[in-house]
Amino acid sequence: MPQSKSRRSALGPWLVGVGAALWGTESAWRIPLNRLFDAQVIVFWEHVLILLMFLPLLFSSAREIRKIDARTWGFLIFSGFAGSAVGTIFFTLALKYGNPTVVNVVLNIQPVISTVGAFFLFGDRLTRPFFFYAAIAVIAGIFVSVEHPALIGVSFAQAGLNLGTGYALICALFWGLSTVAGRGVMTGMPLRLAASLRVAVGLICMTLILLVYGKLRGSMLWPSAAQAHVSTAIGALILLASISGGIPLLIYFEGLRTTRASTAGYFEMMQTLAAVCITWGFFHAGLHPHQVAAAIVLMAAVAMVQKVQAGVEEM
């Protein structure tokens, strides 16, 4: 029995890494889908398909729903709205209007946002080194986003800053805060129920968003571009919802059960590695030398943020 438990503990970080890497593949499907659908519609269909996959989990845990308290429901609704729905819309828009490689690297700033969010919401202590490494991460994130740093004083557009960068930062904000809310959700309900309900809440939010924007109708849900490329549209949506959506979610959280948060943080960087391999290798969205250097500094600074804060959690 102890040997079995030890094996699961040793396997945990690698499951976290595999789940994160699979999440990183989503650009491979989301970029082509951006040519066929509006961003909101992509996220809507993504939620529909993932929820269909998770229905068995939802039904098997349905009797636990009545035990959820109001505070946990609040965290769940915010997590589903900010992370599952709105944050994913901004990520999709960032890939459409920005350099996909830059977008995926800049999103590594999320742990800084979630750490600050946990300070305000849960009273987590911030160490002095946190402010130092967080500042480095923010500065490095700026340099990753800028193609021509010397032109910043002349024009943001000429320097290379664009809508994609702005959308990526907004996405990082929503996903970072959603991570904090997710922590509140996990303390109030079983993992599988939390995962399936989060998707359900996200789908409700996406339905309302499409309704408000007048896109909840046939011609918008399945536009002429998608009709002309039916097999591509259906295939990419299924791969997005499964390979990059539901499957990695289950693998990641299974690994997280036996992995320390400080260790998981490093293995989660497999998401960036996988994403950059796809966006740079297959979509030829390259980086300038200074952006590569800034990306390395950003990831190192975020790793240090996780390390110094993990020391506080273990005290």
Side-chain angles (χ1 to χ4, degrees):
M1 190 70 145
Q3 287 184 348
S4 176
K5 188 174 182 180
S6 177
R7 283 197 203 98
R8 286 200 303 271
S9 297
L11 188 61
W14 295 105
L15 290 176
V16 170
V18 170
L22 289 174
W23 267 329
T25 64
E26 63 180 322
S27 297
W29 331 118
R30 212 175 285 277
I31 291 174
L33 286 170
N34 262 327
R35 305 187 191 110
L36 306 178
F37 300 94
D38 285 347
Q40 297 95 328
V41 175
I42 295 172
V43 180
F44 170 80
W45 284 121
E46 181 183 1
H47 278 77
V48 169
L49 294 173
I50 294 177
L51 185 58
L52 288 175
M53 292 174 55
F54 279 12
L55 279 179
L57 296 179
L58 183 58
F59 289 146
S60 65
S61 308
R63 45 178 85 169
E64 298 290 329
I65 294 178
R66 68 184 69 176
K67 301 177 183 178
I68 302 174
D69 58 37
R71 186 170 183 267
T72 304
W73 271 115
F75 283 129
L76 178 68
I77 292 170
F78 181 81
S79 179
F81 169 77
S84 191
V86 178
T88 308
I89 290 174
F90 280 110
F91 175 60
T92 307
L93 289 169
L95 291 177
K96 184 173 185 176
Y97 293 105
N99 180 323
T101 303
V102 170
V103 168
N104 280 293
V105 172
V106 167
L107 287 176
N108 281 281
I109 204 169
Q110 286 176 67
V112 174
I113 296 170
S114 58
T115 301
V116 174
F119 165 74
F120 285 107
L121 194 57
F122 296 113
D124 288 7
R125 189 162 66 89
L126 299 179
T127 64
R128 287 185 180 179
F130 165 80
F131 296 98
F132 173 72
Y133 291 118
I136 292 176
V138 171
I139 294 170
I142 293 172
F143 276 94
V144 169
S145 305
V146 177
E147 292 184 16
H148 310 290
L151 297 177
I152 289 181
V154 179
S155 165
F156 285 155
Q158 291 183 43
L161 288 171
N162 52 41
L163 271 177
T165 302
Y167 287 140
L169 291 173
I170 296 173
C171 172
L173 175 64
F174 276 102
W175 278 355
L177 294 177
S178 175
T179 298
V180 181
R183 177 175 156 187
V185 172
M186 295 307 169
T187 60
M189 70 178 76
L191 170 63
R192 293 184 178 184
L193 178 61
S196 52
L197 280 180
R198 184 178 187 269
V199 176
V201 171
L203 178 56
I204 293 171
C205 291
M206 287 310 309
T207 302
L208 292 174
I209 288 171
L210 291 185
L211 188 62
V212 169
Y213 283 91
K215 295 182 180 180
L216 199 63
R217 59 179 192 272
S219 61
M220 296 299 295
L221 290 176
W222 205 264
S224 57
Q227 293 175 25
H229 301 86
V230 175
S231 58
T232 299
I234 294 176
L237 284 170
I238 291 174
L239 290 170
L240 177 64
S242 57
I243 300 298
S244 305
I247 293 173
L249 184 66
L250 297 177
I251 294 174
Y252 172 83
F253 281 113
E254 177 62 30
L256 201 60
R257 286 199 310 143
T258 56
T259 306
R260 292 170 61 153
S262 55
T263 303
Y266 298 109
F267 280 82
E268 285 170 4
M269 290 187 176
M270 290 294 293
Q271 180 175 359
T272 300
L273 180 61
V276 169
C277 286
I278 289 171
T279 55
W280 198 335
F282 292 95
F283 293 99
H284 309 294
L287 300 178
H288 295 287
H290 77 274
Q291 290 176 303
V292 174
I296 294 171
V297 171
L298 170 59
M299 295 183 68
V302 169
M304 290 306 299
V305 163
Q306 293 172 327
K307 182 177 181 180
V308 298
Q309 286 301 120
V312 173
E313 294 170 5
E314 292 165 8
M315 291 175 61

